[in-house]
């Protein structure tokens, strides 16, 4: 699956950008010019790149420049459609294939120090070989490109504005949240990396340890991920005063939205946070093909304001912009705390006992595909809640919401767990349950523990993935907990059992953020 998916996405991007390049090439005298170049990255490594320059740019005037590192496994033509649009509005654009992928040299560093140094080398090249203005440098990217752009902004003060789309600010909180390996996400990235690039020995070791659950190397893996996380270098970004726009999808199964929201709250410079329906990079995909796209429109406005100095009003809009997973329009909030300001607690009063190692049928879907379907047809993963086997799934339900409910933000689970083994994994799901008992997935999150004393209860606080979901009138919310989900690696020994209880001194509940009109 991961191989065919990577090929399909790459083929679609190549085809779409090729269509957009052809008219530009034919009209080179009147439109932006495109040239393909080699840029010497860190240590002299060759980075395959393309440069799009506005028509009539003769070097007599300096222009704002946007640098675009490619996404994981994507070819260097990925951004040509957007590069042309930017050039048409007066930007020099330099897009380059990240090291270790396709025809660029070197090995895949996974946004390591060499990738960060490459970004600065590309900026150096742009300032020396194009009419780029050294005071007006921006970076943008999707996924891997977004991660590199944020890290580059932390290490290179010349970067004045960033648009980081479907990326990560905290790599560990993305694919190891709840101390649980996100299996499908890691396997997809690893497979696509081997298919389109050259993983280095460090990445091979980290990926092997991660997928094999080598806990002896856990500290090393976490340190490796922290180094590659913009959240680790937040102070530098704040000191530089970089204007940062973050965009992501509610259902991103590779880089879930929570870590972006947390990072956004700690930024001190100009900032903007946008969440939309979809999965990883699906919110930006039509824009990569040159079609109208809200995410890219916002990114262009962001650069116009913070590179060109245009008074377009984006800095006066509410900085948090959310689109629910429904037909509703965009909603604005003053900050992320305002999204989560109103909460309803659903008591989990009854104790539930489940056997581990058996999939109850509740799950978070398939990486990339399930939430894309939710984006296009509003059909998230579903399950019949009454038919869930209670030996393998714990279930609690709220009362009916006679007028419906608007879930906005990050649901929180607090419960007490008593294991029969020292290690274990469970996954919590929040469902919207209709009159016939069909539950549609609102959110989920995994949790793994190690080195616990069997038979001794311990408290758990778990953030479910942030979302914006409208519960129809007459429906309920249900919290379901089981121990197996194909999205994640589980750590339940054979014969393990888990009890979820609600002590009088520490009651269990799920806290659901609700929008108040």
């Amino acid at each position: 699956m991961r191989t065919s998916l990577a090929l399909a996405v790459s083929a679609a991007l190549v085809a779409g950008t090729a269509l957009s390049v052809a008219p530009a090439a034919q009209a080179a005298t009147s439109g932006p010019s495109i040239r393909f170049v080699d840029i010497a990255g860190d240590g002299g490594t060759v980075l395959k790149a393309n440069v799009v320059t506005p028509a009539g740019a003769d070097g007599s005037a300096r222009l704002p420049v946007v640098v675009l590192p490619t996404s994981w496994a994507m070819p260097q033509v990925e951004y040509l459609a957007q590069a042309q649009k930017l050039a048409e509005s007066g930007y020099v654009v330099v897009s380059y294939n990240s090291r270790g992928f396709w025809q660029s040299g070197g090995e895949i560093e996974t946004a390591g120090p060499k990738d960060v140094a490459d970004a600065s080398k590309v900026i150096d090249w742009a300032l020396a070989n194009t009419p780029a203005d050294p005071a007006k440098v921006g970076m943008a990217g999707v996924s891997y490109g977004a991660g590199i752009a944020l890290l580059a902004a932390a290490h290179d003060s010349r970067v004045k504005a960033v648009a980081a789309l479907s990326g990560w600010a905290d790599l560990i909180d993305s694919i190891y949240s709840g101390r649980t390996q996100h299996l499908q996400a890691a396997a997809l990235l690893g497979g696509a990396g081997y298919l389109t690039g050259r993983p280095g020995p460090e990445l091979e070791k980290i990926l092997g340890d991660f997928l094999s659950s080598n806990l002896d190397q856990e500290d090393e893996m976490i340190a490796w991920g922290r180094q590659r996380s913009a959240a680790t270098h937040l102070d530098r970004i704040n000191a530089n005063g970089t204007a940062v726009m973050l965009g992501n999808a509610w259902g991103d199964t590779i880089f879930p939205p929570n870590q972006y929201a947390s990072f956004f709250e700690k930024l001190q410079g100009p900032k903007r946070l946008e969440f939309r329906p979809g999965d990883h990079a699906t919110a930006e995909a039509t824009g990569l093909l040159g079609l109208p796209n809200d995410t890219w429109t916002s990114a262009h406005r962001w650069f116009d304001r913070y590179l060109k100095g245009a008074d377009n009003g984006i800095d006066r809009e509410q900085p948090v912009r959310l689109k629910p997973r429904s037909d509703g329009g965009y909603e604005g909030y003053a900050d992320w705390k305002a999204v989560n300001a109103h909460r309803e607690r659903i008591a989990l009063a009854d104790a539930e006992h489940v056997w581990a190692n058996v999939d109850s049928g509740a799950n978070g879907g398939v990486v990339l595909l399930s939430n894309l379907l939710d984006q296009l047809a509003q059909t998230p993963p579903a399950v019949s809640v009454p038919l869930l086997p209670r030996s393998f799934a714990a279930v609690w339900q709220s009362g009916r919401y006679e007028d419906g409910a608007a879930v906005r933000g990050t649901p929180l689970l607090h419960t007490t767990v008593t294991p029969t083994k020292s290690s274990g994994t469970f996954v919590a799901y929040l469902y919207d349950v209709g009159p016939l008992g069909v539950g549609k997935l609102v959110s989920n999150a995994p949790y793994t523990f190690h080195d616990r004393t069997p038979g001794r209860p311990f408290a758990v606080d778990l953030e479910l993935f942030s979302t914006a979901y409208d519960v129809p009138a007459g429906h309920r919310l249900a919290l379901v907990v089981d121990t197996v989900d194909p999205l994640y690696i589980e750590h339940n020994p054979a014969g393990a059992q888990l009890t979820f209880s609600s002590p009088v001194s520490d009651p269990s509940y799920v806290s659901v953020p609700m929008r108040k009109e």
Side-chain angles (χ1 to χ4, degrees):
M1 180 191 74
R2 64 187 185 227
T3 301
S4 60
L5 183 60
L7 284 171
V9 173
S10 298
L13 287 172
V14 171
T17 49
L19 289 173
S20 68
V21 170
Q26 294 169 6
T29 56
S30 59
S33 65
I34 302 172
R35 58 191 173 114
F36 292 85
V37 300
D38 289 350
I39 297 176
D42 184 56
T45 297
V46 173
L47 304 174
K48 294 294 182 177
N50 54 73
V51 184
V52 185
T53 308
D58 57 6
S60 60
R62 290 292 174 179
L63 304 174
V65 59
V66 176
V67 174
L68 301 165
T70 54
S71 304
W72 186 272
M74 291 295 106
Q76 62 158 306
V77 296
E78 176 185 9
Y79 299 116
L80 274 177
Q82 287 303 316
Q84 286 180 251
K85 291 179 182 294
L86 285 165
E88 287 168 358
S89 62
Y91 293 89
V92 174
V93 184
V94 181
S95 174
Y96 68 96
N97 230 129
S98 304
R99 70 165 51 223
F101 285 104
W102 295 86
Q103 293 178 315
S104 283
E107 298 174 328
I108 299 172
E109 296 286 330
T110 322
K114 292 181 180 179
D115 287 304
V116 176
D118 283 345
S120 291
K121 291 290 187 181
V122 173
I123 293 172
D124 292 342
W125 185 94
L127 297 179
N129 295 277
T130 76
D133 188 335
K136 299 178 179 179
V137 177
M139 290 193 69
V142 175
S143 185
Y144 192 48
I148 291 175
L150 284 175
L151 287 163
H155 291 84
D156 194 326
S157 61
R158 294 175 297 180
V159 180
K160 303 303 182 185
V162 169
L165 313 177
S166 288
W168 77 92
D170 188 326
L171 189 58
I172 298 301
D173 198 35
S174 294
I175 61 173
Y176 196 48
S177 69
R179 207 180 176 186
T180 308
Q181 299 102 315
H182 293 212
L183 172 62
Q184 289 186 16
L188 176 64
L189 292 172
Y194 279 101
L195 176 67
T196 62
R198 299 168 299 282
E202 185 179 31
L203 174 57
E204 289 182 331
K205 181 180 185 304
I206 289 292
L207 189 61
D209 289 338
F210 185 83
L211 293 175
S212 65
S213 304
N214 186 355
L215 292 177
D216 290 338
Q217 299 300 311
E218 184 180 35
D219 290 343
E220 179 184 336
M221 289 187 286
I222 290 175
W224 179 87
R226 294 286 182 235
Q227 183 186 37
R228 289 159 170 78
S229 298
T232 304
H233 312 285
L234 177 68
D235 290 348
R236 292 186 179 185
I237 295 177
N238 285 335
N240 292 339
T242 313
V244 178
M245 172 188 157
L246 305 170
N248 204 355
W250 293 118
D252 194 320
T253 45
I254 296 180
F255 304 128
N258 301 44
Q259 44 92 30
Y260 250 14
S262 176
F263 182 70
F264 170 84
E265 283 293 273
K266 298 170 186 173
L267 288 169
Q268 296 174 359
K271 58 184 179 179
R272 186 175 179 90
L273 177 67
E274 300 187 354
F275 286 147
R276 298 175 174 85
D279 206 310
H280 183 65
T282 64
E284 302 86 22
T286 55
L288 293 176
L289 300 177
L291 301 174
N293 181 275
D294 289 352
T295 306
W296 283 105
T297 296
S298 289
H300 287 230
R301 293 181 65 217
W302 191 251
F303 288 133
D304 286 349
R305 175 66 186 89
Y306 291 104
L307 295 183
K308 285 185 176 180
D311 186 14
N312 57 14
I314 196 169
D315 54 325
R316 294 188 294 275
E317 297 171 0
Q318 291 184 300
V320 177
R321 191 166 181 252
L322 311 181
K323 191 176 191 304
R325 294 161 49 195
S326 62
D327 292 327
Y330 286 95
E331 302 168 356
Y333 298 83
D335 52 30
W336 185 248
K337 291 179 182 176
V339 179
N340 291 275
H342 302 284
R343 290 185 166 273
E344 175 183 312
R345 282 193 178 189
I346 301 172
L348 311 179
D350 299 328
E352 297 281 351
H353 180 87
V354 298
W355 289 82
N357 307 113
V358 176
D359 190 343
S360 70
N363 65 70
V366 178
V367 65
L368 291 183
L369 301 179
S370 296
N371 291 315
L372 175 60
L373 188 61
D374 184 36
Q375 175 186 354
L376 298 177
Q378 296 177 27
T379 52
V383 69
S384 174
V385 173
L387 296 182
L388 287 172
R390 295 309 198 262
S391 295
F392 310 115
V395 179
W396 299 266
Q397 295 194 70
S398 72
R400 288 189 177 87
Y401 294 93
E402 299 302 337
D403 298 321
V407 179
R408 299 288 187 275
T410 309
L412 305 173
L413 169 63
H414 175 77
T415 189
T416 295
V417 179
T418 305
T420 60
K421 305 289 185 179
S422 61
S423 295
T425 298
F426 67 84
V427 184
Y429 309 88
L430 188 66
Y431 284 104
D432 156 31
V433 184
L436 298 180
V438 175
K440 294 183 178 181
L441 188 65
V442 177
S443 182
N444 77 100
Y447 183 90
T448 293
F449 59 89
H450 297 287
D451 301 320
R452 291 288 181 177
T453 302
R456 177 178 295 177
F458 62 93
V460 170
D461 288 289
L462 175 63
E463 280 193 356
L464 277 64
F465 299 136
S466 303
T467 192
Y469 184 96
D470 293 328
V471 180
H475 285 214
R476 305 173 184 266
L477 287 173
L479 183 78
V480 175
V481 178
D482 74 0
T483 62
V484 176
D485 190 311
L487 284 173
Y488 312 112
I489 292 178
E490 52 92 5
H491 295 262
N492 296 299
Q497 303 169 50
L498 298 175
T499 298
F500 299 89
S501 59
S502 182
V504 174
S505 59
D506 186 19
S508 295
Y509 59 85
V510 58
S511 174
V512 183
M514 300 289 195
R515 177 178 171 86
K516 299 297 183 182
E517 299 298 335

